Amino acid sequence: MTAHLAFRVEDGLCTASPAVRVEDLVTRARDLGLHVGALATGHQTLAQALAASDPWLRHRLVRAELLTASGSVRTPVAPRAALGPDLNGMAFGRGPPVRELTLRADRAVAWGAREDLPLGQAIALAQALAERGCTLVELRARPARAPTASLEAALPRPALTTLLAPATAHDLPPTPGAPVAAWRLGWTDAEGAWRDLAGLCPRGGAVQLNALDAATVLLRLAVPPATVARARDALKRLGPRWLGAATPVHPQVRLALSLRFHGPRPAPP
Amino acid sequence: MLAALRQERPGLRVSQDPMDLLACARDASTEGYLERRHGLLPPGPAAVVWPADEEDVRAVVRAAGRARVPLSPLGAASGVVHGTSPGPSWVVLDLKLLDQVALDPARGWVTAGAGVVGERLERALNAQGFSVGHFPSSIYCSTVGGWVAARGAGQLSSRYGKIEDLCVSLRFVDGKGRFLVLNENEQPGLMQSIIGSEGSLGVITAATLRVHPLPSHRALAGFAAPDVATGLSFMRQVMQAGLRPAVFRMYDPTDTLLAGGIPRPSAPPQVQEGCLGRAGLEDDHAAEASVRNASVDLSVGQGWESRLRQAALRVDVQPHLQEWAGWLLARGPWLRRVACSVPSRCLVVLGLEGTRDDVGESLASSLELARNTGAVLLGRGPGERWLTRRYAVTWKMPPLIRAGGWADTLEASAAWSDLPALYADARAATLRHALTLAHFSHAYPEGASIYFTLAGGGGSLEESRRVHRAAVDAALGVFLRHGAALSHHHGVGRMKAGHLSASLGAGAAGALRGLKSALDPHGILNPGVLGLGGGAS
């Protein structure tokens, strides 16, 4: 599938096909004075982020165009529609083929960065920035190397340089490996969860935090493939501590949804 | 079904009293108001039941499934899209006894039963220093379950988000009586499928919502924009600068006129202690005042329109006001010509809340953006006036209907660059049928919602229905042509169901039917909403 990527700068939106490389998306946005909420996601393409049901992409997605067994689904290019169940959700996981996505691309009038911040201080600074409207605040650490984190943020207005001195936008950070899991949490849980995940991190692994908004963060754990299963199990055990009571969806419902909601895939042309 | 249910759940409250049935027969949609004004009482359902816990809900749903009796889940029936309209053989599942509230302050969550009325939830949280930040104008007559079922929004959504942003997890019973708990990490897609399902996929029994500590400071400001385009440009720049105003609304010229016109500049805005969310909820007197003000408080503003209005108000206006409204609306063409010739200026209201530093910096940045875009500062008066009357709109409909008029509201959302043409075209299309005013609110970095109010009057029930439907269809047709969302927070109900496929694509109906058959295979849950029929009698 060919990759196409176009920005509507006035609206803070970009339209992309799933084949678009995440790095291209991030770079093109930055060239236009915009950002898409993260610098490193661990995914090579948007299609991979969709397949992994990445909460970052879910949080950014305004519109999806999909090809279902009964025809195309095209949600409106409009914020927060109240048109029944969110059909954009069909784009994720084992959903029908996605033709096009429209994502939010927020303004970045300046960039700021800090290195080697103690974790508590880094998270407090990230939260303060998010509460002032920064929608790209990214913390990264390699826990096996140092107990500190680096912070990079896109500033949507000049006044915020009082919180974080501007810096030249860095080269895109290296992606150490495919993310094992990404968890959406409240800010109050962020530091404890980070420490738990860091404790699981083998040499070479990385923990990353992205501020989603003033209320929530996304924690990513990226580890070498050999430790994927162990980390996934550990994350499952940790999950309820943050999420409160949750019961699994009844298998019959899950099966019914996977069969009926997505429908059989149409034959390729 | 009821006999079996009484045997299975002996404590379950059930009523077939005609008054109980009438009370839950319709929501607050215009069509229902019109019918009642003309003496057409809906037949009502066969029975209403009040489950006291989730096991009661499961028992009712299972019994209805066995008997193939349609169920209509009910919160407070303040919806306006004909989402609550039980047929004569249906049973209404009134959820108001599911009214538990449990705050987890450490986590920043509250779990509230589906039947908790918004005002009660907010008061309970305020007493402990928290707020959900969800303040629909229907807060006195809407429930947590209703908010979730309709994808509702509150007046402070630009800061705190809509209900789908606030939901951490949901508890619900599907159409086969299976109990499910969904959360945003493990089943985000399914949770977002239940949010907005309008009672057609399951019965929401409780929701866990994010809460926020009560902000310590606030600031209010009003601006005059020379026209709609300038006002929208100001709103867009504020939102894209990462500012998160709690309140951000712009009234179109007609709505500005009806609110008293552009007032003279008042005292400059300043950072004050207190927050916006609590205002109006401090005590019951405020609520009563809100109701009273809704009917008679037109003495606002200092412009020529306002002075004229104030002169008229020197007489005891209340007994005459409703007659005037009906008389005016009955002269639709004349009124619409006047509406088209009003000055083009728009009133903009901005409200900020947060810490002192946050509010101070946000206010300074907003004022600078206003200067750069050509919006003129009017001081804090317009914002303060909005704050005192914020819930008034909920109570305006009955007097208008009694006076022989009608009004309806439609809310579309669109990207910023689409909004000016969408507004102009929808206004032009609806003015052929009804008086049209609009405000822009619920602003986001990528766009905003337009809230149209359509009003007409006079004539028979058939004539009122015909004009009302023509006005609504004209507006929805324009929304579709512009690719806008047909609804931002009222939902679809039965009112917009016929337009859903055109809005979401031909495959949407199949996807929704797939969800329906997976979760409600007997088709008993609120058949008809979202265009989803049912197999039940």
Side-chain angles (χ1 to χ4, degrees), chain A residues 106-156:
Chain A
D106 296 337
R107 184 185 295 181
V109 298
W111 292 79
R114 295 284 296 273
E115 300 289 338
D116 297 327
L117 286 168
L119 183 59
Q121 199 180 327
I123 289 179
L125 179 54
Q127 185 173 8
L129 287 163
E131 284 175 350
R132 294 291 184 88
C134 290
T135 49
L136 193 165
V137 188
E138 193 163 288
L139 294 182
R140 286 184 295 275
R142 290 186 175 277
R145 260 188 226 164
T148 59
S150 65
L151 182 150
E152 197 157 2
L155 306 180

Side-chain angles (χ1 to χ4, degrees), chain B residues 243-269:
Chain B
L243 297 163
R244 296 186 304 118
V247 180
F248 207 7
R249 309 163 73 86
M250 177 176 72
Y251 300 89
D252 83 341
T254 313
D255 209 348
T256 297
L257 175 70
L258 290 178
I262 300 288
R264 282 183 186 159
S266 53

Side-chain angles (χ1 to χ4, degrees), chain B residues 116-384:
Chain B
V116 176
V117 172
E119 175 223 0
R120 196 182 144 249
L121 174 66
E122 195 57 29
R123 278 179 199 276
L125 291 173
N126 287 178
Q128 298 180 72
F130 289 91
S131 168
V132 175
H134 189 79
F135 299 92
S137 57
S138 61
I139 195 166
Y140 289 97
C141 54
S142 60
T143 61
V144 170
W147 298 344
V148 176
R151 283 189 175 263
Q155 295 166 342
L156 310 192
S157 68
S158 296
R159 183 172 182 84
Y160 298 106
K162 283 181 66 192
I163 201 69
E164 62 262 38
D165 305 309
L166 294 166
C167 255
V168 176
S169 77
L170 283 183
R171 299 162 70 87
F172 89 114
V173 174
D174 76 1
K176 286 190 81 174
R178 295 174 293 208
F179 177 68
L180 296 164
V181 181
L182 308 171
N183 72 45
E184 66 179 2
N185 267 318
E186 289 173 42
Q187 306 97 355
L190 189 51
M191 190 178 90
Q192 290 295 335
S193 295
I194 300 306
I195 298 174
S197 58
E198 303 187 8
S200 66
L201 302 179
V203 180
I204 295 160
T205 57
T208 300
L209 308 173
R210 288 192 179 80
V211 296
H212 311 273
L214 285 172
S216 59
H217 288 79
R218 74 184 196 193
L220 287 156
F223 303 87
D227 49 46
V228 167
T230 304
L232 284 174
S233 175
F234 172 43
M235 292 180 78
R236 176 175 65 80
Q237 295 202 34
V238 166
M239 297 311 296
Q240 292 183 348
L243 297 163
R244 296 186 304 118
V247 180
F248 207 7
R249 309 163 73 86
M250 177 176 72
Y251 300 89
D252 83 341
T254 313
D255 209 348
T256 297
L257 175 70
L258 290 178
I262 300 288
R264 282 183 186 159
S266 53
Q270 62 180 25
V271 180
Q272 298 171 294
E273 285 190 7
C275 60
L276 303 171
R278 292 186 78 168
L281 288 173
E282 284 90 349
D283 53 47
D284 289 323
H285 297 300
E288 288 170 21
S290 178
V291 176
R292 284 198 305 275
N293 290 343
S295 302
V296 299
D297 180 13
L298 295 171
S299 58
V300 293
Q302 297 296 321
W304 64 268
E305 311 95 333
S306 177
R307 285 199 294 278
L308 191 65
R309 196 184 301 262
Q310 283 172 0
L313 286 170
R314 288 195 188 102
V315 297
D316 184 9
V317 70
Q318 190 160 19
H320 306 292
L321 188 64
Q322 292 165 5
E323 290 170 30
W324 290 354
W327 183 85
L328 275 173
L329 287 170
R331 277 136 190 88
W334 174 83
L335 192 63
R336 294 198 293 274
R337 274 199 298 278
V338 171
C340 288
S341 59
V342 298
S344 62
R345 288 193 301 169
C346 302
L347 181 66
V348 182
V349 170
L350 175 78
L352 303 161
E353 64 180 17
T355 62
R356 177 191 286 275
D357 289 349
D358 182 9
V359 174
E361 187 264 309
S362 297
L363 181 60
S365 295
S366 302
L367 296 181
E368 187 183 345
L369 288 169
R371 280 192 298 273
N372 294 344
T373 50
V376 178
L377 178 65
L378 298 170
R380 59 177 183 259
E384 288 174 347

Side-chain angles (χ1 to χ4, degrees), chain B residues 363-412:
Chain B
L363 181 60
S365 295
S366 302
L367 296 181
E368 187 183 345
L369 288 169
R371 280 192 298 273
N372 294 344
T373 50
V376 178
L377 178 65
L378 298 170
R380 59 177 183 259
E384 288 174 347
R385 198 164 58 244
W386 172 84
L387 197 62
T388 60
R389 302 175 52 194
R390 56 190 294 205
Y391 299 122
V393 67
T394 302
W395 319 102
K396 280 183 175 170
M397 183 68 117
L400 184 63
I401 293 282
R402 279 199 298 274
W406 59 264
D408 205 347
T409 52
L410 292 165
E411 16 66 77

